[in-house]
Amino acid sequence: LQILVTVLNENDNTPVFAQPSLTRDVPEDTKVDTAIVAREEVTASDADLDTIYYELTATAQDTDGYFAIRGVNNPEIYLQKALDYDKFNSATLLLYARDRPVTSPDPTKTGTATITITIKQSDTRPPWFLPCTRLHNDASVCISSPYSGRVNISEMSTDPLLLEPGPLYAVDPDYTISDRIVYSIVGGNTDEVFSVDADTGNLTMNKIVTSPDSFLLQVMATQVNNIRKYSVATVEIKVINKSNFPPYFEKEVYNGTVFTGLPQRSFVYQAGDPSTPLVITAMDRDFPDV
C-alpha cells in the first residue's frame, strides 16, 4: 500500500531583518528621490517563504512625509521631500515587514527594523550681514539694512569708522559649518579713499576727503572655503563739516499761551502777546550763517 503524505506550510515564523537597527547620515542638500537605504539592506526574510509586505512610518510628526519606500514589496528607502536642517536634524523611521497584506483578515506576523537618520547641515546659504531680520519667520532668509557712517571733510581719521546700525559684520548662517568670512570693497570707493580689513570688516580711511560728495560703498562678504557663497552690503558714508560746538537754544525757558476749545494743530502763542506764535529757535556756532 503506497501512502502519499503532503506537509502543509504553517505560518509559524515571523519575518526577520538581517539588520534590525540601521543608522544613516544624510546631507541636508540631498536631492529628492535619492536612495537613502538600499533595498538589500532592509529586505526581510521569512522561513515560511511567504511574500513580504512592507510599511514605513516616522516616529515624529514633523518628520513624516520626508522618507518613503519604493513600493509595498520594495523596501528601498528614498528621500521624498527636500530636507531643511533648521526644521529638524534627525528622524527615526520604523520599517514593518508583514507576511500578509495589511488588509488581510488572516493572522499576520510582523518584523520591525529601526532606521535612525541624522541630517548633516550643508553649505546652502550665503553669509548674513548683521543685524538682520528674518523674513516671515523663515530661518533660511535674513534681510539686513544698509549701513551708514560719517567722516569730516579735509580731516584724516586713523580709527575704524563708526557705523549704524552697528559694525560691518557677517556670519555664515550654516552654523555647524561656520566658514570664515573675508571682506572686500567691490564698488563705490572713488579714489580709493577707504579700505576694509579683510578679517574684521573694519572700514578705515586711506586719505582725506576734499569733496562734500557722499560715498556709497559696496562691501562683499565671502566664505573662505566657498567663494560662490557671498553677500554684498551697502555702506553710505556722508562727508560733513567738522562740528566743534553743540547746538544751543536762544533762551533757557520759553513761555507760551494756549486757548481752550481750539482744534488740533492750532498755534501756541507767546505768553503776554496772544497775537504772536511761539517760536523755539536753536543755534549752532559751527554754522553762524544758518
Side-chain angles (χ1 to χ4, degrees):
L1 176 65
Q2 184 179 19
I3 301 174
L4 180 64
V5 178
T6 301
V7 180
L8 300 178
N9 189 11
E10 180 73 17
N11 185 19
D12 55 356
N13 291 284
T14 299
V16 176
F17 287 97
Q19 300 181 71
S21 181
L22 287 172
T23 300
R24 288 290 182 273
D25 291 340
V26 180
E28 178 188 13
D29 59 352
T30 299
K31 295 184 180 301
V32 171
D33 204 46
T34 299
I36 304 300
V37 183
R39 178 177 184 173
E40 297 76 17
E41 296 181 90
V42 285
T43 296
S45 60
D46 187 349
D48 297 320
L49 302 180
D50 292 321
T51 299
I52 298 178
Y53 302 86
Y54 297 93
E55 180 187 6
L56 184 70
T57 64
T59 60
Q61 184 175 2
D62 59 349
T63 63
D64 191 28
Y66 285 86
F67 302 93
I69 55 175
R70 296 293 183 185
V72 68
N73 300 122
N74 182 354
E76 179 182 89
I77 299 173
Y78 70 98
L79 184 63
Q80 185 173 243
K81 188 164 64 172
L83 297 170
D84 186 343
Y85 184 86
D86 292 308
K87 291 183 178 179
F88 66 92
N89 52 38
S90 64
T92 301
L93 309 176
L94 297 178
L95 180 63
Y96 299 101
R98 299 183 176 91
D99 56 10
R100 297 289 186 274
V102 175
T103 57
S104 174
D106 298 331
T108 303
K109 294 187 180 297
T110 304
T112 305
T114 302
I115 300 95
T116 301
I117 304 292
T118 301
I119 312 300
K120 296 296 185 180
Q121 191 172 40
S122 300
D123 192 5
T124 59
R125 294 175 291 189
W128 289 350
F129 279 97
L130 302 181
C132 64
T133 303
R134 295 192 176 185
L135 190 63
H136 308 306
N137 295 321
D138 186 349
S140 62
V141 180
C142 202
I143 306 299
S144 60
S145 301
Y147 294 86
S148 62
R150 297 182 299 178
V151 295
N152 295 325
I153 194 169
S154 301
E155 182 174 303
M156 182 70 180
S157 174
T158 57
D159 295 326
L161 302 185
L162 297 178
L163 302 177
E164 295 291 341
L168 196 64
Y169 181 62
V171 296
D172 181 359
D174 299 312
Y175 49 87
T176 63
I177 299 173
S178 193
D179 198 359
R180 187 167 69 89
I181 306 297
V182 293
Y183 304 88
S184 59
I185 300 176
V186 295
N189 193 15
T190 306
D191 296 331
E192 302 296 321
V193 172
F194 301 98
S195 61
V196 64
D197 187 289
D199 296 317
T200 66
N202 286 334
L203 279 174
T204 52
M205 298 183 68
N206 296 324
K207 60 183 72 172
I208 63 172
V209 181
T210 57
S211 169
D213 297 334
S214 297
F215 291 81
L216 202 60
L217 305 178
Q218 304 293 318
V219 179
M220 183 168 68
T222 309
Q223 294 180 203
V224 170
N225 295 316
N226 189 350
I227 60 174
R228 294 184 179 182
K229 291 290 188 298
Y230 66 89
S231 293
V232 177
T234 300
V235 184
E236 183 183 15
I237 305 296
K238 294 182 179 180
V239 181
I240 63 173
N241 290 317
K242 184 176 181 180
S243 179
N244 296 310
F245 304 99
Y248 65 93
F249 290 101
E250 289 184 316
K251 298 178 181 180
E252 292 185 358
V253 178
Y254 290 83
N255 295 307
T257 300
V258 294
F259 300 96
T260 60
L262 293 177
Q264 292 184 1
R265 304 184 67 85
S266 295
F267 284 121
V268 176
Y269 294 92
Q270 293 185 19
D273 186 359
S275 63
T276 304
L278 179 64
V279 178
I280 299 175
T281 306
M283 306 292 290
D284 191 332
R285 281 182 288 176
D286 289 312
F287 307 96
D289 299 328
V290 178

